[in-house]
Amino acid sequence: MDQSAVNPHYLEHVIDVGRSRDVEASEDIYSGNGTKLLAKGARIDERVKDQLLQHKLSKPLEDCMSVSSGVDAAQFMATAEALLDQSLLLRSVFRTGHDKALAALRQVQLSPQLQSLLTVYAEHRPRKLEHTVGVALLNAGMTQHVQGTPDALRTALLAGLCHDIGELYIAPAYLERGARLPPNEWKHIAAHPVIAFRVLHKMPGLGDEVCAAVVHHHERLDGFGYPRGLSGKAIPLSGQVLAAAELLSGLNESGPGAPRRADVAMKLIPGEFHQSMIDLVATVSRDCNDLDAALASLPKLDETVRRAEHIGDRLEKLARLVDSLDAELKGASQAVKDVAAQSVQRYERIRRAFSSTGLDTGAPRSLLAQLVQMDGELLHLEVTLILREIGWRLRELEREVRLRVQTAAPQEAPLVERLLAPLVITRDAEPAQPLAAAA
Ligand SMILES: [Fe+2]
Ligand SMILES: [Fe+2]
């Protein structure tokens, strides 16, 4: 018999939800060795926590509990209409209108297990219902752009609704701190698509395509996403589209100027996203014409110069590391050499993005001042957005190198740490990234 241990973080969220609504066993719950732990109808609360944690169960807890007044199509619809009302970006993603997507959302049917799971997800942190419905809508709009069948639309909505449920199984402290985690802690967040896949693929009514999209929703076409670092055709189209929807949603939730930031983010490193998604976001950005909103958050020129100098400095250190890499990795395993080769490619692409700003000439202060004098705020804005993205890509690069080496060749992690030591970031030199964009 397949036995399931109860995830303590998930159980904690279930118990929390039970403080405001009824959460009970939808059937008798048995331990893996056949002992009855809870009778059908028993409340799942603090009093039964230890009992549930001490035993493996004969069935996953997700399959034998119910939550009263769970989220449903009516609640998704109300949330979707409110989000569409508030967000021009969201409306613009639907190039031929959002009626079909709303009609499909109205018809979404959830199994009791999935309804309970999504209810716990929607309740576990503020604005999670908005996030999940927002991603479902963006995913539907972006899917319509490449694959307009009713089935594809339904799959896109369901995948969007379920995409982050893996977060329920991760220690909440990691999610609080988001992308600023060291690699041995970040790896828990990086696992959320795989955790979601494991939970969802056993649930009735979802199907393989929804699960495939969910497990790939942080992969990047050039192999620098997570959790598996897949590339190209290994990532199904549904996963590529959901990855773009997740990124766009994170930016949209993080404040004004999102369309323009999204346009820069998706174009920065060639080959990360499906070309249709890049083109769509460029069109959306033009339609939204959010220049005023983006200019409102423009930093002082001094701050931009500092950031440019900081990035230039990091790229220079990386260049020195790349030059000495062959000698440094002489005795290293093939696994570490492979990670190094992928990372050097990534570094080259980031460096090219920096060169595109013209700020890699060694004197960003005078150059920026001159350019801004000539072209005004618009150029300053463009440079600011590019620098912000480059800062994040450098951080991601460093994080991925550590994580990939730790996974592939843990015994060689100290060598990699020594090589990366000159790159350690001054935390306050970088802007905060919204959590939704990170996870
Ligand atoms: Fe998300
Ligand atoms: Fe995610």
Side-chain angles (χ1 to χ4, degrees):
M1 188 185 289
D2 188 18
Q3 298 188 10
S4 300
V6 177
N7 176 289
H9 309 299
Y10 175 70
L11 183 58
E12 209 57 68
H13 293 308
V14 168
I15 290 170
D16 271 353
V17 170
R19 297 186 216 285
S20 58
R21 59 185 81 206
D22 292 336
V23 179
E24 57 186 43
S26 56
E27 57 188 79
D28 293 344
I29 295 181
Y30 290 93
S31 71
N33 62 16
T35 309
K36 186 165 157 180
L37 300 176
L38 284 180
K40 180 179 175 182
R43 286 187 71 92
I44 298 178
D45 57 20
E46 201 67 45
R47 288 169 301 178
V48 301
K49 183 165 112 179
D50 289 345
Q51 204 178 1
L52 289 173
L53 289 176
Q54 278 159 14
H55 299 87
K56 286 195 169 181
L57 306 187
S58 64
K59 280 171 82 173
L61 179 63
E62 292 81 351
D63 290 356
C64 40
M65 52 165 267
S66 66
V67 180
S68 68
S69 318
V71 290
D72 57 12
Q75 212 172 336
F76 295 146
M77 284 298 290
T79 308
E81 280 165 357
L83 289 173
L84 283 162
D85 222 33
Q86 293 156 15
S87 169
L88 176 57
L89 181 152
L90 201 45
R91 294 196 298 279
S92 300
V93 163
F94 291 94
R95 305 308 299 164
T96 52
H98 50 255
D99 294 354
K100 276 189 193 159
L102 284 188
L105 187 63
R106 193 176 287 117
Q107 280 166 17
V108 157
Q109 288 192 346
L110 306 177
S111 66
Q113 296 94 320
L114 184 56
Q115 186 185 35
S116 298
L117 186 65
L118 284 177
T119 306
V120 177
Y121 177 78
E123 298 268 315
H124 87 290
R125 292 166 74 90
R127 299 199 61 80
K128 284 296 177 183
L129 181 62
E130 284 80 0
H131 177 65
T132 208
V133 173
V135 171
L137 286 175
L138 286 168
N139 198 32
M142 296 177 110
T143 297
Q144 267 183 345
H145 201 62
V146 286
Q147 216 182 5
T149 64
D151 260 3
L153 199 56
R154 178 184 167 276
T155 299
L157 286 167
L158 278 171
L161 291 173
C162 300
H163 75 284
D164 272 341
I165 61 101
E167 289 178 5
L168 291 173
Y169 299 78
I170 299 169
Y174 296 151
L175 290 160
E176 294 287 350
R177 286 180 289 142
R180 294 194 183 276
L181 294 170
N184 59 337
E185 294 181 10
W186 169 257
K187 72 180 180 202
H188 295 281
I189 290 193
H192 80 273
V194 174
I195 299 171
F197 178 87
R198 286 194 198 123
V199 173
L200 294 171
H201 91 277
K202 293 184 194 147
M203 291 207 163
L206 273 179
D208 292 347
E209 282 202 46
V210 171
C211 297
V214 169
V215 78
H216 294 107
H217 83 271
H218 285 285
E219 298 288 359
R220 295 289 182 261
L221 278 175
D222 66 348
F224 246 85
Y226 64 84
R228 291 165 66 196
L230 298 175
S231 58
K233 289 197 171 106
I235 307 169
L237 180 61
S238 59
Q240 295 176 34
V241 177
L242 186 54
E246 173 82 316
L247 177 91
L248 203 50
S249 155
L251 292 169
N252 201 27
E253 290 169 8
S254 68
R260 197 167 282 262
R261 281 182 284 144
D263 189 27
V264 170
M266 291 187 75
K267 282 181 184 151
L268 187 80
I269 310 283
E272 270 189 308
F273 290 96
H274 193 285
Q275 190 58 45
S276 303
M277 299 298 105
I278 298 172
D279 296 342
L280 175 60
V281 168
T283 309
V284 166
S285 173
R286 272 195 301 277
D287 276 10
C288 289
N289 191 19
D290 58 341
L291 184 60
D292 289 346
L295 285 176
S297 55
L298 196 62
K300 292 208 164 67
L301 190 61
D302 249 12
E303 197 182 314
T304 307
V305 170
R306 260 205 314 279
R307 196 170 288 169
E309 287 170 342
H310 175 70
I311 285 174
D313 183 48
R314 282 179 66 69
L315 285 169
E316 231 170 80
K317 284 179 181 161
L318 271 169
R320 285 200 289 276
L321 177 56
V322 168
D323 282 347
S324 65
L325 211 50
D326 281 350
E328 293 278 9
L329 295 182
K330 215 162 189 183
S333 65
Q334 195 54 44
V336 167
K337 286 178 180 163
D338 289 348
V339 173
Q342 292 164 351
S343 307
V344 168
Q345 273 186 16
R346 181 71 166 180
Y347 153 77
E348 291 290 350
R349 292 196 197 105
I350 297 174
R351 194 184 49 74
R352 275 199 289 277
F354 187 58
S355 295
S356 76
T357 63
L359 294 172
D360 59 343
T361 50
R365 182 173 295 278
S366 59
L367 185 72
L368 249 185
Q370 275 175 29
L371 288 174
V372 169
Q373 226 168 26
M374 276 158 45
D375 285 340
E377 285 181 315
L378 200 56
L379 186 127
H380 184 192
L381 175 64
E382 198 174 315
V383 170
T384 301
L385 297 180
I386 292 176
L387 291 179
R388 176 145 77 171
E389 280 300 317
I390 291 177
W392 276 105
R393 300 317 160 90
L394 285 173
R395 179 191 286 278
E396 274 171 11
L397 175 62
E398 189 186 326
R399 190 182 71 202
E400 277 300 311
V401 169
R402 289 195 163 103
L403 191 55
R404 287 177 188 201
V405 169
Q406 268 192 7
T407 309
Q411 69 287 1
E412 289 168 87
L415 163 71
V416 172
E417 283 307 317
R418 180 175 64 74
L419 294 178
L420 290 178
L423 294 171
V424 169
I425 299 173
T426 321
R427 295 293 171 201
D428 55 6
E430 301 217 339
Q433 185 190 36
L435 177 63

